[in-house]
Amino acid sequence: MVIKILKNFFSRIFAGMFKGRSNLVIGFYGPPNGGKTTLANKMCTDFTGQELGAVSKIPHETREVQFAEEVKFNHKGKNMVFKLVDTPGIATRIDYEDFMRHGLREKEAKKRAKEATKGVIESIKWLDDVNAVVVVLDATQNPYNQVNVTIIGNLVARKLPVIIAANKIDLKNANIKKIEAAFPEYEVVGISAKFGKNIEEFYESLYNLAKK
Amino acid sequence: MDTRKLNSLTLQFVPYSDISSLNSIERIKKLLKVVLDNKIVLMQGRLKAEEESRLIEDTMALIGSVKGFRGIELAVLSPKESGSVVGNFKRGLARMLVGENDSITIIGPASVVREMRRDPNKIQLLLKDKSRRR
């Protein structure tokens, strides 16, 4: 009986801590190899203790949408419950021979390409089901890529709150200013998802974005 | 889509008047038909955001079903937004009246165009080596 009372007491306290907008769906979008899964993994590890998916240097490692339900975000006393949606990278071209250049055999490369095309379609379909989006861009790459423009244009058309994570700032040739110049209407936060650099600032921005 | 015999590059101009009366599905179909012919589309104007994403979806579906098709390279050049409220209002009004035809959209087959490098003022088309075109 005492245990039951204590259990109810703690569950009420716990529920109160995370009350507000529950299960806000945050989508991680961007071109392949920007670091979406690495960032989703970092968040999941920080708030749930478990990673979400595998990462690889070969593009299109994530070929199916991956979820983390009930991620209890707690940053400097700010609490929120998120559902994180890690999407396959959006691309306009998928060539199995590109995978072969990364060492995959032809059969394996063709299979990966087929799955990757389906993944892109799935990512786009998921735009209807997210409440806010983190666009993850590789800060070492040219941001004026049409895929980036298309993704952000679609988010604007859907009136979704957006934050841009300029990832890989640990690399020498990262250029956050170029991303800021390409997308001046959006908040750009420079991070290194791999090493957790500047992740606190990203969490602060994500919280503010989710409150919108 | 065999491009091994390709020894020239065709740019097909699509004026805004050719697509303005078409619905989204017809527009995308028209553009992809040109691309599947191994030609580079030079379109006056630009697609709506949702049409661009639909173009990507349809492209992905074609990669699986059309032999040798590896996707597209896409780039859009638009004039910079004016800093002034009056300037933006004028541009917005013009777009409402005649459509968004002050942009240029370039779409090329990935088997011909290796990469489109875009910055605010120019688009650079890097072509595939002829020997590697499929």
Side-chain angles (χ1 to χ4, degrees), chain A residues 26-30 36 39 43 73 82 131-137 148 151-152 155-156 160-167 179 183 185-191 198-212:
Chain A
I26 308 280
F28 290 80
Y29 275 86
K36 296 176 291 299
L39 181 55
M43 273 192 78
F73 176 91
F82 292 144
N131 304 119
V133 170
V134 178
V135 176
V136 185
L137 301 181
N148 299 343
I151 294 169
I152 291 174
L155 301 175
V156 172
L160 288 168
V162 178
I163 183 175
I164 298 175
N167 193 22
I179 296 180
F183 305 105
E185 306 90 346
Y186 302 97
E187 184 180 358
V188 177
V189 186
I191 58 160
N198 222 19
I199 208 75
E200 298 290 308
E201 192 190 326
F202 170 73
Y203 286 157
E204 190 71 34
S205 300
L206 184 65
Y207 179 80
N208 293 333
L209 178 86
K211 274 199 310 186
K212 283 181 185 172

Side-chain angles (χ1 to χ4, degrees), chain A residues 12-185:
Chain A
R12 273 205 305 273
I13 296 270
F14 202 60
M17 276 170 68
F18 294 102
K19 73 182 176 190
R21 297 181 71 178
S22 63
N23 254 12
L24 196 77
V25 184
I26 308 280
F28 290 80
Y29 275 86
N33 268 26
K36 296 176 291 299
T37 306
T38 307
L39 181 55
N41 278 345
K42 173 69 184 154
M43 273 192 78
C44 285
T45 309
D46 285 353
F47 301 116
T48 70
Q50 282 184 325
E51 288 198 340
L52 184 60
V55 294
S56 162
K57 282 185 179 172
I58 307 174
H60 297 282
E61 178 65 19
T62 306
R63 299 184 295 283
E64 282 182 354
V65 171
Q66 311 179 119
F67 317 94
E69 306 266 5
E70 299 276 326
V71 176
K72 293 183 173 71
F73 176 91
N74 181 345
H75 173 67
K76 293 180 182 171
K78 293 163 182 168
N79 302 301
M80 218 171 249
V81 181
F82 292 144
K83 174 178 176 174
L84 300 185
V85 180
D86 177 30
T87 65
I90 296 180
T92 56
R93 62 186 295 157
I94 292 171
D95 188 341
Y96 75 90
E97 288 187 351
D98 290 340
F99 301 137
M100 287 172 72
R101 279 189 272 280
H102 282 92
L104 297 190
R105 288 186 191 150
E106 186 174 335
K107 197 178 168 189
E108 210 180 343
K110 281 183 173 169
K111 184 173 175 269
R112 192 181 183 94
K114 195 176 176 185
E115 290 169 355
T117 57
K118 286 180 184 164
V120 173
I121 296 171
E122 201 189 353
S123 287
I124 294 171
K125 299 243 181 284
W126 259 91
L127 280 169
D128 294 331
D129 297 306
V130 294
N131 304 119
V133 170
V134 178
V135 176
V136 185
L137 301 181
D138 181 340
T140 68
Q141 299 291 316
N142 179 9
Y144 293 99
N145 175 326
Q146 191 59 35
V147 167
N148 299 343
V149 178
T150 300
I151 294 169
I152 291 174
N154 270 273
L155 301 175
V156 172
R158 288 170 163 85
K159 297 187 171 65
L160 288 168
V162 178
I163 183 175
I164 298 175
N167 193 22
K168 307 190 187 183
I169 58 164
D170 52 295
L171 299 178
K172 225 190 258 179
N173 51 345
N175 190 342
I176 304 171
K177 290 211 181 316
K178 205 169 177 185
I179 296 180
E180 286 172 338
F183 305 105
E185 306 90 346

